[in-house]
């Protein structure tokens, strides 16, 4: 709360200009000073200083609401993913005020889900009267406007005459460094209000962190954790304060784990393949993939949707973490009209086991 931007809290234009001249950007910048320092720096009277402090302190106190009000808001500000089954499982789709993660290997369709979601946000907003603009942060230069056009023409031909209007409501950033992304996130709250945004997409959150801060040394790990914590705090603050949906994509990494030492050569049908015993104990390692960025990032995500190949032309979306939905898997394909969700998968044992692996933490 203390990192809220002053530009959204202060209405008096003259006071805004004074705060800007003194380089006061957040609530914390002002509240870290004594009342006397504030009066002197901003040239305010005691009454004006007291009124400013009252407003800033009030902005730092979380407001309560009833469970009924919360349920009504969730129903009103949820974004459909285009499948009745999946939307019902998620209690309406993607909810405003939350951070949703799509995680999966390269080429599985993470960017396609982002484009699919952006199109649905723009088009559904027109009919519902909600915020319709989308802010799209593309760290891998994977965004293609022509793909948006193709999805609309093939999937929503009735909206084809309004393609230019739809494209004008998607605002694109393409940061190439950690510093660029941090600067964008610092000013994003004001931008989201100005553009009347209802959806924020970051594709991908892992790319720059893994590229610039190589894991290995303790200092590098600490730097990565601190950077991710800073980004996560900003994204959660934007989602909650502006009541918009934040969608991020994440890469995956391999994770190794020790098993109990076994005697090589024993007739163990699970571990050994030889028919004689050497009497030598060896450590056996298992490996599986898990979303990147580790424990810190995992706790910042409200809903985690895992994307994977299922060995055929279709792919799977797995609800691995959700405050409202149970474990479930849905098959989908990627076509000219974007994401097409086929239905819920019956292979319960397989995907539950797979999801449990994804919920384990790593430091990748």
């Amino acid at each position: 709360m203390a990192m809220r931007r002053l530009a959204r809290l202060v209405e008096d234009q003259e006071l805004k200009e004074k705060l800007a001249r003194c380089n006061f950007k957040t609530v914390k910048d002002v509240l870290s000073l004594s009342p006397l320092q504030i009066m002197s720096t901003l040239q305010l009277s005691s009454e004006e200083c007291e009124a400013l402090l009252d407003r800033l302190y009030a902005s730092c106190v979380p407001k309560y609401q009833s469970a009924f009000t919360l349920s009504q808001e969730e129903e009103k500000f949820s974004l459909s993913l285009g499948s009745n089954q999946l939307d019902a499982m998620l209690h309406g789709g993607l909810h405003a005020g939350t951070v949703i993660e799509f995680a999966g290997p390269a080429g599985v369709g993470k960017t396609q889900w982002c484009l699919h979601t952006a199109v649905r946000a723009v088009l559904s907003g027109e009919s519902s009267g909600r915020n319709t603009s989308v802010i799209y942060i593309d760290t891998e230069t994977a965004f293609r406007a022509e793909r948006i056009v193709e999805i609309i023409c093939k999937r929503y031909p009735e909206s084809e005459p309004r393609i230019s209007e739809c494209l004008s409501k998607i605002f694109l950033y393409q940061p190439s460094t950690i510093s660029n992304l941090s600067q964008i996130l610092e000013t994003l709250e004001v931008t989201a209000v100005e553009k009347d945004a209802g959806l924020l997409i970051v594709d991908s959150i892992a790319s720059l962190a893994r590229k610039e801060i190589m894991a290995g040394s303790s200092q590098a790990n600490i730097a990565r954790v601190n950077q991710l914590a800073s980004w996560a705090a900003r994204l959660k603050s934007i989602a909650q304060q502006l009541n918009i949906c934040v969608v991020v994509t994440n890469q995956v990494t391999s994770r190794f784990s020790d098993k109990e030492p076994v005697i090589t050569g024993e007739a163990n049908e699970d571990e050994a393949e030889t028919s004689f015993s050497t009497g030598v104990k060896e450590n056996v390692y298992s490996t599986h993939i898990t979303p990147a960025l580790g424990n810190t990032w995992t706790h910042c995500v409200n809903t985690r949707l895992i994307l994977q190949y299922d060995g055929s032309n279709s792919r799977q979306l797995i609800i691995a973490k959700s405050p409202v939905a149970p474990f479930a898997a849905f098959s989908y394909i990627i076509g000219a009209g974007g994401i097409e969700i086929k239905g819920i998968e019956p292979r319960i044992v397989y995907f539950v086991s797979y999801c449990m692996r994804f919920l384990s933490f790593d430091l990748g």
Side-chain angles (χ1 to χ4, degrees), residues 63-79 91-92 94-98 130 239-244:
K63 297 179 180 179
Y64 74 89
Q65 57 183 331
S66 68
F68 176 77
T69 302
L70 182 61
S71 67
Q72 294 296 308
E73 289 185 355
E74 288 181 348
E75 183 178 349
K76 182 179 178 181
F77 296 104
S78 59
L79 175 62
H91 288 215
L94 305 183
H95 296 285
T98 64
R130 300 197 308 266
Q240 294 171 357
Q241 296 298 326
L242 303 183
N243 197 33
I244 67 175

Side-chain angles (χ1 to χ4, degrees), residues 6-77:
L6 291 171
R8 292 192 62 238
L9 299 174
V10 178
E11 298 177 355
D12 184 84
Q13 188 60 38
E14 183 180 354
L15 182 54
K16 279 186 180 181
E17 293 174 358
K18 289 182 179 180
L19 292 167
R21 284 197 299 269
C22 297
N23 201 31
F24 290 155
K25 298 179 180 179
T26 66
V27 173
K28 183 179 179 181
D29 294 337
V30 177
L31 296 185
S32 61
L33 302 178
S34 68
L36 187 59
Q37 289 174 315
I38 295 173
M39 292 169 59
S40 175
T41 304
L42 298 177
Q43 299 180 349
L44 300 177
S45 66
S46 60
E47 291 80 8
E48 292 172 331
C49 179
E50 184 178 358
L52 174 61
L53 289 176
D54 287 344
R55 186 174 184 82
L56 297 185
Y57 281 128
S59 70
C60 293
V61 178
K63 297 179 180 179
Y64 74 89
Q65 57 183 331
S66 68
F68 176 77
T69 302
L70 182 61
S71 67
Q72 294 296 308
E73 289 185 355
E74 288 181 348
E75 183 178 349
K76 182 179 178 181
F77 296 104

Side-chain angles (χ1 to χ4, degrees), residues 83-93 95 319 322 324-330 344:
S83 164
N84 291 335
Q85 278 188 310
L86 181 55
D87 289 341
M89 193 75 73
L90 294 171
H91 288 215
H95 296 285
I319 304 175
S322 170
V324 297
F327 282 111
F330 291 80
I344 193 166

